[in-house]
């Protein structure tokens, strides 16, 4: 099968979060099982292109025309990479916005990406299925089933739309519709209209043949008021066209046996290296070596509300009474950067913080800490806790979304389970759960078996990629039926 991925970010070129990991690893896994995959991304600052394929593509956006080039970045691990190359739109300091907020022309930027993806399919590489990711690519199904609905080359082309995070919807003023070249007629409740604005994610949810999200539990949660971010009704309306497929992990990148970012490799059988990694981590964070005898808890994250930092703020005074050290890596909202900086000031010998985005340090943390904390308010999948399992680092998580699907609560009596979970989004529940983990840590034999349980888990992409292939087939069939139905009327 030929599959075209359309995404606003993807490794090895661009990344702000887990989406980029997925857009690298899933195509590789599909190629390994014999499929052909091309990935279309915006060409951001620093992205090297190998050659130009289309020097100027004509993209109408309302009364305006854009003329991006399409360039080829190369083939890596069998996956072909292409860029939509429009320097004015994409060669900026950041991907989606700067300190003063989101870039104000984001609808047009990603409208261009989406329309260019459809033209790319027509002119350069026609796939059997289009797979689009997040609100920035949600206009692909919208354009395809409206402006392009009568295009004979495209009417039977199926689209799968994956929501990696329902919290980011692409909300814009009504007037934006014409700026992205869509008819006013789409400003209706069963299309893009959303409380007087337009909602691009909603368009993707409604116009795609199938909608997926990145864990089974999150697929259920987003149908409820609590987690639906106002779109629960829309999601419910798609019935069995919505499903959860759990993300996998690229173990060629995240494996303590082969990781080149850490000072010593180790495996479930030979754990000595983990101690060296802990020592190295403490010196990276300039924490005294006396912390070797304490459990160290780690955290790597975008600093945003989703990740549960208000809970950490609430629980901190109580938590810090316990005997552990904390290392945190991340950046984002100023209030959370300050939260961790203040903790480091208050507990300089036990708390280390790096306000940065740093892949090497992220690996050092996964390897060097004893426990990994993810108290997310919601978590579509979450990758760090899955990386932790492989690194013999025990996750402490809130039982939501993918965190709940990937971490099994440890039961000291049976010795089964891989981590610690709590349900209620309350500081006290977090404190109780951390205390359980700290208590388990004092029993070395018990701790070793807990680590071994996690390290034995296999979250490689193979099984999930096979589920996507099944879904692509179903999307193809449903398109054939839809086309037959319209030609009969
Ligand atoms: P999300 O996509 O919501 O940010 P995930 O857990 O799915 O959450 O993925 C986060 C990815 O981004 C992981 O690969 C993680 O290691 C990485 N990451 C997040 N913050 C940082 C950071 N400050 N430095 C390095 N890597 C980070
Ligand atoms: C999103 C989610 C995260 C998920 C990632 C990749 O950014 O917040 O939970 O793992 O996408 O699907």
């Amino acid at each position: 099968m030929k599959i075209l991925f359309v995404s606003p970010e993807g490794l090895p070129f661009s990344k702000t979060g887990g989406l980029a990991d997925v857009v690298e690893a899933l195509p590789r896994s599909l190629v390994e099982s014999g499929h052909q995959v091309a990935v279309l991304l915006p060409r951001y600052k620093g992205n090297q292109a190998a050659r130009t394929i289309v020097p100027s593509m004509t993209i109408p956006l309302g009364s305006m025309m854009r003329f991006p080039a399409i360039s080829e970045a190369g083939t890596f691990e069998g996956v072909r990479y292409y860029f939509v190359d429009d320097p004015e739109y994409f060669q900026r300091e950041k991907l989606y916005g700067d300190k003063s907020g989101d870039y104000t022309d984001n609808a047009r930027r990603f409208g261009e990406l989406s329309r260019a993806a459809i033209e790319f399919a027509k002119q350069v590489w026609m796939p059997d299925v289009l797979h689009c990711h997040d609100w920035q690519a949600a206009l692909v199904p919208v354009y395809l089933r409206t402006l392009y609905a009568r295009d004979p080359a495209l009417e039977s082309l199926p689209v799968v739309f994956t929501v990696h995070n329902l919290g980011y919807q692409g909300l814009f003023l009504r007037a934006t519709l014409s700026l992205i070249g869509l008819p006013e007629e789409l400003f209706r409740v069963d299309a893009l209209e959303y409380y007087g604005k337009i909602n691009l994610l909603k368009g993707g949810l409604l116009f795609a043949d199938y909608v997926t999200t990145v864990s089974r539990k999150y697929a259920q949660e987003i149908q409820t008021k609590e987690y639906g971010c106002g779109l629960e009704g829309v999601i419910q309306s798609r019935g069995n066209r919505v499903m959860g497929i759990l993300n996998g992990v690229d173990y060629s990148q995240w494996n303590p046996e082969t990781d080149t970012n850490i000072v010593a490799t180790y495996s479930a059988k030979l754990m000595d290296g983990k101690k060296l990694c802990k020592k190295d981590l403490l010196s990276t964070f300039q924490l005294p070596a006396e912390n070797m005898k304490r459990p160290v808890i780690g955290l790597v994250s975008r600093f945003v509300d989703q990740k549960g930092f208000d809970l950490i703020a609430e629980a901190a005074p109580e938590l810090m009474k316990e005997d552990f050290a904390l290392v945190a890596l991340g950046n984002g909202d100023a209030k959370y950067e300050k939260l961790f900086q203040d903790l480091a000031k208050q507990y300089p010998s036990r708390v280390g913080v790096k306000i940065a985005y740093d892949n090497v340090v992220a690996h050092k943390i996964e390897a060097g800490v004893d426990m990994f904390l993810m108290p997310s308010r919601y978590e579509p999948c979450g990758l760090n806790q899955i990386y932790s399992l492989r690194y013999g680092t025990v996750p402490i998580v809130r039982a939501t979304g993918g965190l709940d699907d990937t971490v099994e609560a440890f039961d000291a009596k049976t010795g089964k389970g891989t981590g610690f979970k709590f349900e209620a989004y309350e500081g006290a529940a977090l404190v109780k759960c951390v205390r359980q983990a700290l208590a388990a840590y004092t029993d070395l034999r018990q701790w070793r078996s807990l680590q071994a349980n996690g390290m034995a888990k296999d979250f490689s992409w193979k099984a999930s990629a096979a589920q996507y292939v099944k879904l692509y087939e179903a999307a193809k069939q449903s398109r054939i039926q839809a086309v037959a139905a319209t030609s009969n009327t």
Side-chain angles (χ1 to χ4, degrees):
M1 220 183 213
K2 287 173 80 181
I3 307 135
L4 174 58
F5 275 57
V6 186
S7 173
E9 62 181 84
L11 285 171
F13 298 103
S14 44
K15 167 167 170 174
T16 67
L19 167 62
D21 300 57
V22 173
V23 167
E24 179 179 51
L26 173 57
R28 284 185 183 178
S29 182
L30 290 165
V31 164
E32 266 166 33
S33 44
H35 301 281
Q36 295 178 55
V37 186
V39 178
L40 185 70
L41 300 165
R43 183 177 174 200
Y44 296 110
K45 216 172 166 182
N47 292 161
Q48 292 298 326
R51 68 189 177 106
T52 303
I53 304 273
V54 181
S56 165
M57 192 174 251
T58 307
I59 304 291
L61 286 177
S63 58
M64 186 170 122
M65 299 267 237
R66 301 294 302 182
F67 303 100
I70 299 295
S71 48
E72 189 179 352
T75 301
F76 303 96
E77 309 276 336
V79 180
R80 301 146 202 244
Y81 289 89
Y82 296 92
F83 294 132
V84 175
D85 196 348
D86 179 343
E88 193 192 333
Y89 267 11
F90 296 119
Q91 307 258 332
R92 298 185 182 172
E93 230 22 75
K94 292 269 173 65
L95 270 54
Y96 310 125
D98 53 25
K99 280 267 176 255
S100 47
D102 290 346
Y103 295 131
T104 51
D105 55 357
N106 272 348
R108 273 171 290 156
R109 297 171 78 218
F110 294 106
E112 172 174 310
L113 171 71
S114 301
R115 249 190 116 146
I118 295 171
E119 287 298 325
F120 175 85
K122 282 185 75 171
Q123 297 174 35
V124 182
W125 200 81
M126 179 58 84
D128 297 306
V129 60
L130 271 165
H131 190 167
C132 306
H133 299 265
D134 276 352
W135 74 261
Q136 295 93 336
L139 284 173
V140 173
V142 178
Y143 287 135
L144 204 58
R145 301 293 175 241
T146 57
L147 302 185
Y148 287 86
R150 290 173 175 276
D151 187 332
L154 296 169
E155 60 180 3
S156 55
L157 179 61
V159 196
V160 170
F161 178 57
T162 296
V163 182
H164 294 261
N165 194 329
L166 203 68
Y168 299 84
Q169 303 185 348
L171 278 180
F172 298 95
L173 295 176
R174 178 179 185 166
T176 310
L177 258 187
S178 64
L179 299 179
I180 53 178
L182 286 171
E184 186 60 25
E185 185 261 313
L186 288 180
F187 192 76
R188 43 171 225 268
V189 74
D190 61 341
L192 298 188
E193 192 275 337
Y194 184 80
Y195 298 104
K197 292 190 168 174
I198 60 164
N199 184 324
L200 303 192
L201 190 85
K202 181 179 173 189
L205 294 172
L206 287 172
F207 286 88
D209 295 291
Y210 277 89
V211 173
T212 72
T213 188
V214 289
S215 68
R216 189 195 49 81
K217 175 122 189 218
Y218 191 60
Q220 292 169 350
E221 285 174 338
I222 56 178
Q223 319 223 4
T224 66
K225 198 166 179 339
E226 190 183 353
Y227 292 96
C229 302
L231 289 172
E232 57 275 12
V234 174
I235 294 163
Q236 285 163 16
S237 78
R238 295 303 317 267
N240 60 10
R241 294 297 179 110
V242 178
M243 61 189 289
I245 300 180
L246 190 70
N247 284 336
V249 162
D250 182 353
Y251 287 120
S252 73
Q253 303 287 323
W254 295 95
N255 179 353
E257 295 181 39
T258 52
D259 195 331
T260 52
N261 301 296
I262 58 181
V263 285
T265 52
Y266 59 91
S267 66
K269 279 201 193 106
L270 245 179
M271 289 288 280
D272 297 356
K274 190 163 173 69
K275 235 189 207 145
L276 297 174
C277 292
K278 182 167 174 176
K279 218 168 149 192
D280 172 58
L281 181 71
L282 291 174
S283 79
T284 303
F285 277 82
Q286 293 173 324
L287 288 174
E290 66 182 35
N291 287 300
M292 284 301 288
K293 62 179 191 318
R294 305 195 160 97
V296 178
I297 301 181
L299 199 152
V300 178
S301 187
R302 293 180 294 120
F303 286 174
V304 292
D305 291 337
Q306 173 198 344
K307 301 294 179 178
F309 296 119
D310 52 340
L311 217 55
I312 296 184
E314 183 193 331
E318 200 54 31
L319 263 187
M320 294 312 295
K321 290 182 189 158
E322 302 295 328
D323 189 26
F324 68 91
L326 177 72
V327 295
L329 168 70
N331 56 9
D333 290 358
K335 63 179 180 213
Y336 298 131
E337 293 185 353
K338 185 166 180 314
L339 165 72
F340 287 107
Q341 281 164 332
D342 287 351
L343 279 175
K345 258 187 225 143
Q346 209 181 337
Y347 304 95
S349 63
R350 288 204 290 146
V351 178
V353 173
K354 276 198 192 304
I355 305 296
Y357 183 91
D358 188 326
N359 185 46
V360 174
V361 178
H363 282 255
K364 282 177 186 279
I365 291 180
E366 288 291 5
V369 300
D370 300 289
M371 302 161 193
F372 195 93
L373 183 61
M374 266 177 102
S376 306
R377 183 179 282 276
Y378 73 93
E379 196 61 69
C381 178
L383 295 171
N384 281 302
Q385 83 283 7
I386 317 183
Y387 302 153
S388 297
L389 291 172
R390 183 50 62 98
Y391 282 78
T393 290
V394 175
I396 303 171
V397 303
R398 180 156 173 267
T400 183
L403 297 174
D404 200 26
D405 283 356
T406 55
V407 177
E408 292 158 39
F410 182 63
D411 179 342
K413 279 192 211 105
T414 61
K416 291 211 169 108
T418 56
F420 297 88
K421 311 202 255 194
F422 63 101
E423 294 275 344
Y425 194 76
E426 287 162 12
L430 167 64
V431 173
K432 191 171 159 207
C433 191
V434 171
R435 283 193 180 129
Q436 272 169 7
L438 296 174
Y441 184 82
T442 59
D443 180 337
L444 189 65
R445 264 194 45 210
Q446 183 172 279
W447 194 257
R448 288 275 173 265
S449 70
L450 180 49
Q451 286 178 305
N453 292 349
M455 293 177 94
K457 292 282 165 198
D458 182 4
F459 288 98
S460 51
W461 266 103
K462 206 167 184 245
S464 299
Q467 279 181 272
Y468 277 110
V469 172
K470 257 177 96 175
L471 187 74
Y472 298 152
E473 295 287 0
K476 248 171 98 172
Q477 287 311 316
S478 85
R479 221 38 244 156
I480 292 170
Q481 282 160 13
V483 173
T486 45
S487 59
N488 287 340
T489 54

